[in-house]
């Protein structure tokens, strides 16, 4: 299989564009999301995005604060204990961005429909409520007839409600480990990353670790994302920060609050962007921005034992640089 490892800058330049339908995914507000990729999208000035965000995380908050998002389809829009995402709030209240809301079950079903290439998917969730009757995309239409439409069950003739499939242009999915071919293992909650990897037209993996393919051969049952659906792999340690990556590092609660508070105002966002986005080019410089003391504290996680079976296959920065002919150097 070809070596799919490319730099973060190359991945964003090659696989994203203005006006695209972009998908990412994490488990609630602190889960393993491709936040580093979102930072690079902001740096490269992406705009007019239609974002599919199953569960709001700091990446969506950041993209909204940057004025990069026109439309959002989501199933949860909070940051839990860290408050409501201020970047998202500013974008919606200003009229810059509209949000279409679904239940978590329906969002999962839409991803499943996309992954299975179904024309639609029946549902028993969300209809008979404002999730069906109100649409941010068709605000003048009430009750809405095309968000969760009613059709006749061809077998019984009874009323049945259906959902449209999700097939994003590109999905960027964070994984714990990937090999150079694009096989990936995820520790912790998947949160529909499995279905998303099959539904998207293009898939980019953001990986905390690159491992030898021997790891994937040893644990084939854990390879939830296989190389055949992956277009590119980006190696980016601590790529979820300030959120958490199970087995590797905990969420940075202090920075979660600080980051959200920075999104309150254009001035706060500009300051955050200068310090935490524009100040580095390589992952080594990115790690310096976080700080080794903070990284060590976050990596002292009670879940670190989960990585024990895989440690012998983890490649070093130097090995990765050699294997990729120097394309990815820290």
């Amino acid at each position: 299989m070809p070596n799919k490892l490319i730099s973060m800058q190359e991945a964003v330049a090659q696989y994203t564009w203005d006006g695209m339908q972009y998908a990412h995914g994490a488990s609630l507000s602190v889960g393993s999301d491709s936040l580093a990729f979102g930072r690079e999208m902001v740096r490269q000035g992406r705009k007019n995005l239609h974002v599919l965000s199953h569960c709001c995380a700091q990446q969506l908050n950041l993209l909204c604060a940057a004025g990069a998002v026109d439309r959002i389809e989501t199933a949860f829009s909070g940051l839990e204990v860290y408050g409501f995402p201020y970047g998202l709030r500013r974008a919606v209240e200003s009229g810059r961005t509209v949000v279409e809301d679904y239940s978590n079950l329906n969002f999962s079903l839409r991803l499943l429909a996309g992954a299975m290439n179904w024309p639609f998917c029946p549902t028993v969730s969300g209809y008979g409520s404002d999730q069906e009757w109100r649409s941010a995309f068709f605000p003048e239409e009430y009750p809405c007839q095309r968000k969760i439409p009613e059709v006749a069950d061809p077998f019984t003739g009874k009323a049945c409600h259906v959902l449209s499939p999700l097939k994003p242009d590109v999905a960027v999915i964070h994984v714990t480990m990937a090999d150079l071919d694009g096989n990936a293992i995820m520790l912790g909650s998947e949160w529909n990353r499995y279905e998303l990897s099959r539904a998207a037209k293009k898939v980019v993996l953001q990986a905390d670790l690159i491992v030898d393919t021997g790891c994937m051969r040893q644990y084939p049952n854990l390879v939830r994302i296989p190389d055949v659906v992956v277009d590119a792999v980006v190696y980016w340690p601590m790529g979820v920060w300030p959120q958490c990556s199970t087995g590797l590092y905990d969420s940075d609660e202090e920075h979660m609050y600080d980051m959200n508070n920075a999104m309150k105002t254009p001035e706060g966002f500009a300051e955050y962007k200068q310090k935490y986005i524009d100040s580095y080019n390589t992952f080594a410089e990115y790690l310096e921005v976080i700080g080794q003391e903070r990284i060590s504290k976050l990596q002292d996680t009670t879940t670190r034992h989960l990585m024990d079976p895989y440690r012998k296959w983890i490649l070093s920065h130097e090995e990765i640089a050699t294997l990729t002919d120097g394309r990815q150097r820290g």
Side-chain angles (χ1 to χ4, degrees):
M1 294 296 291
N3 178 353
K4 297 177 182 176
L5 191 66
I6 63 175
S7 72
M8 181 69 79
Q9 292 87 348
E10 288 177 300
V12 172
Q14 182 175 345
Y15 290 99
T16 70
W17 60 90
D18 295 347
M20 68 180 293
Q21 191 174 88
Y22 168 69
H24 68 109
S27 177
L28 303 179
S29 60
V30 297
S32 296
D33 187 28
S34 54
L35 182 50
F37 194 94
R39 293 177 193 270
E40 183 61 28
M41 290 178 70
V42 170
R43 189 215 296 263
Q44 294 193 22
R46 291 293 176 264
K47 58 186 178 181
N48 305 126
L49 301 174
H50 180 161
V51 180
L52 307 180
S53 181
H54 189 178
C55 197
C56 179
Q58 290 283 22
Q59 180 174 179
L60 180 60
N61 197 20
L62 182 66
L63 291 171
C64 285
V69 182
D70 286 353
R71 290 182 163 203
I72 299 168
E73 295 183 63
T74 188
F76 181 76
S77 57
L79 290 177
E80 299 179 278
V81 298
Y82 306 105
F84 197 83
Y86 291 116
L88 173 60
R89 169 174 284 175
R90 285 198 296 113
V92 173
E93 290 181 348
S94 69
R96 173 72 179 80
T97 305
V98 294
V99 179
E100 190 75 286
D101 184 40
Y102 288 86
S103 70
N104 286 118
L105 173 58
N106 278 346
F107 208 94
S108 298
L109 290 174
R110 295 182 71 204
L111 287 172
L112 176 62
M116 298 294 289
N117 202 28
W118 293 341
F120 56 83
C121 181
T123 183
V124 294
S125 172
Y127 64 83
S129 71
D130 273 354
Q131 281 200 349
E132 175 189 19
W133 296 332
R134 291 286 186 187
S135 170
F137 295 166
F138 311 105
E140 303 304 319
E141 184 179 318
Y142 185 84
C144 183
Q145 300 297 318
R146 41 186 162 169
K147 183 180 178 184
I148 308 178
E150 181 179 300
V151 300
D153 180 340
F155 297 102
T156 66
K158 295 180 179 179
C160 175
H161 290 79
V162 296
L163 301 162
S164 60
L166 290 175
K167 297 182 180 181
D169 293 320
V170 176
V172 180
I173 303 172
H174 180 83
V175 297
T176 313
M177 294 164 272
D179 66 12
L180 299 178
D181 298 334
N183 298 295
I185 292 175
M186 298 172 283
L187 301 185
S189 174
E190 285 187 1
W191 206 254
N192 288 123
R193 285 180 280 174
Y194 174 94
E195 291 83 3
L196 181 56
S197 70
R198 275 74 170 174
K201 298 169 186 174
K202 296 287 184 180
V203 173
V204 177
L205 300 182
Q206 174 190 291
D208 273 313
L209 300 168
I210 302 298
V211 296
D212 185 87
T213 300
C215 181
M216 306 301 171
R217 293 177 180 140
Q218 181 70 26
Y219 300 103
N221 57 309
L222 301 182
V223 181
R224 298 284 284 164
I225 301 180
D227 55 24
V228 294
V229 301
V230 174
D231 295 275
V233 177
V234 175
Y235 172 50
W236 203 263
M238 298 290 295
V240 173
W241 178 79
Q243 297 171 201
C244 70
S245 184
T246 302
L248 294 176
Y249 47 92
D250 288 331
S251 58
D252 185 340
E253 295 194 354
E254 180 182 357
H255 194 85
M256 285 288 290
Y257 283 112
D258 290 345
M259 182 176 179
N260 192 34
N261 287 331
M263 304 298 115
K264 278 185 179 180
T265 63
E267 296 77 15
F269 165 74
E271 183 178 345
Y272 187 89
K273 181 174 180 290
Q274 180 180 23
K275 185 173 182 180
Y276 292 106
I277 297 176
D278 297 335
S279 59
Y280 62 84
N281 290 299
T282 67
F283 65 75
E285 294 170 348
Y286 165 79
L287 296 177
E288 289 178 5
V289 169
I290 301 174
Q292 188 54 55
E293 182 178 354
R294 184 181 293 261
I295 291 172
S296 297
K297 180 179 179 180
L298 296 175
Q299 289 179 341
D300 186 22
T301 171
T302 56
T303 66
R304 61 185 179 274
H305 67 281
L306 297 175
M307 283 300 304
D308 289 346
Y310 318 105
R311 296 190 191 281
K312 68 178 181 179
W313 287 288
I314 297 173
L315 303 185
S316 66
H317 299 335
E318 294 74 21
E319 288 174 311
I320 294 167
T322 300
L323 287 168
T324 56
D325 298 323
R327 285 182 298 157
Q328 174 80 355
R329 293 186 184 276

